[in-house]
Amino acid sequence: MLAAPATASVPRALRVMSYNIHTGIGTDGRADLGRVAAAVRAADVDVVALQEVDVHWSDRSGYADQARELARLTGMSVYFAPIYDLDPAPGRDERRRYGVAVLSRHPILSATNHDITRWSTLDPDAVPEPAPGFAEVVVSVRGTPVHVYDTHLDFRGDPSVRAAQVDDMLGILAEDPPGARQLLLGDFNAEPSAPELAPLFEHVRDVWGSRAGGHTYPAGDPASRIDYVTVAGPVRALNATVPGTLASDHRPVVATLLLR
């Protein structure tokens, strides 16, 4: 009898990171994207969801394309999803953009910049309305498709915008095929017990679980757990850690996952 062929049901391991990089500015107030890249390389991860990424934005990051530079420094592919996309600064040609990015060692099959509710921090007269910056990247992990989502939720004390963002994200996650492997990573700007996150945790599982710790902010003396790796579908978390780096004002979350 011939042996049965290998199938996509064979478990596959994947190491992922969520990291708010604060545009490369560390706890010492110095901009150094090399330190961010070093933290990514030290964690030996396959996929990274980055928040607060500048692309030709301003002097604070030397008008660098941080998404491309981090891809170069880590040897990964990159997808950048702007939240803001503005006209060039005086005397420059590049559009000023700021948002989230996904780095991947695995092939990127597709990428989408979804709209969710946002309340602009640039326009004092703005009201919450749909805006881009919710990235979805489908990567092929040795033949297994994985939907990787990268988000940065509203920072304000009023939870109403975050609640709307959760509803929007759940609607987008629901568009994936039944049984899809989904990873939702990012800076949620709220603790796990926040009421506005409760509907989200009915769909995704927080890899940190109910363990103590997992604090990521502020990086120098973390007291808040606001950065997350969450999963849905046939994915199991094997472990999760918070590396002690000061390359940003946040510390990253790193997890090893099993794709079943």
Side-chain angles (χ1 to χ4, degrees):
M1 178 182 294
L2 294 176
T7 70
S9 63
V10 176
R12 290 160 168 79
L14 184 71
R15 278 180 62 79
V16 303
M17 169 188 280
S18 180
Y19 196 7
N20 181 325
I21 66 168
H22 193 225
T23 68
I25 299 173
T27 57
D28 57 3
R30 185 167 59 88
D32 184 349
L33 209 59
R35 295 187 296 191
V36 173
V40 172
R41 292 193 302 267
D44 191 24
V45 287
D46 304 297
V47 174
V48 187
L50 304 169
Q51 303 87 46
E52 296 195 16
V53 181
D54 279 356
V55 171
H56 308 307
W57 182 256
S58 72
D59 280 335
R60 73 185 179 191
S61 49
Y63 289 98
D65 184 336
Q66 294 191 322
R68 287 182 180 273
E69 182 65 6
L70 284 170
R72 184 187 69 81
L73 291 171
T74 60
M76 295 185 178
S77 300
V78 66
Y79 173 68
F80 175 69
I83 296 172
Y84 301 126
D85 188 342
L86 308 179
D87 289 338
R92 301 194 66 87
D93 298 325
E94 314 95 343
R95 292 192 65 79
R96 302 176 59 230
R97 301 193 295 167
Y98 167 89
V100 302
V102 176
L103 300 171
S104 177
R105 294 195 187 282
H106 296 287
I108 294 176
L109 303 179
S110 64
T112 308
N113 188 2
H114 294 283
D115 285 3
I116 60 174
T117 300
R118 294 197 183 278
W119 192 355
S120 174
T121 58
L122 302 179
D123 180 359
D125 298 320
V127 296
E129 59 184 357
F134 180 41
E136 176 187 6
V137 174
V138 182
V139 299
S140 175
V141 182
R142 294 177 292 281
T144 298
V146 181
H147 295 251
V148 180
Y149 291 90
D150 183 4
T151 196
H152 191 184
L153 301 188
D154 194 76
F155 68 94
R156 296 170 177 87
D158 180 353
S160 60
V161 175
R162 283 192 300 278
Q165 291 174 325
V166 165
D167 288 344
D168 295 340
M169 293 190 303
L170 285 171
I172 293 166
L173 291 169
E175 296 175 0
D176 288 341
R181 296 165 180 83
Q182 296 177 320
L183 314 182
L184 174 62
L185 303 90
D187 178 356
F188 294 1
N189 268 313
E191 295 277 357
S193 60
E196 66 269 24
L197 297 186
L200 189 62
F201 291 134
E202 292 178 6
H203 177 77
V204 300
R205 304 181 298 278
D206 179 3
V207 301
W208 199 266
S210 59
R211 292 185 296 149
H215 300 137
T216 56
Y217 183 82
D221 186 16
S224 299
R225 188 156 88 83
I226 59 175
D227 298 280
Y228 295 82
V229 173
T230 70
V231 302
V235 181
R236 181 164 66 92
L238 300 180
N239 57 59
T241 60
V242 175
T245 175
L246 303 179
S248 166
D249 64 341
H250 290 239
R251 294 188 183 187
V253 180
V254 176
T256 303
L257 310 176
L258 192 65
L259 309 178
R260 295 181 291 184

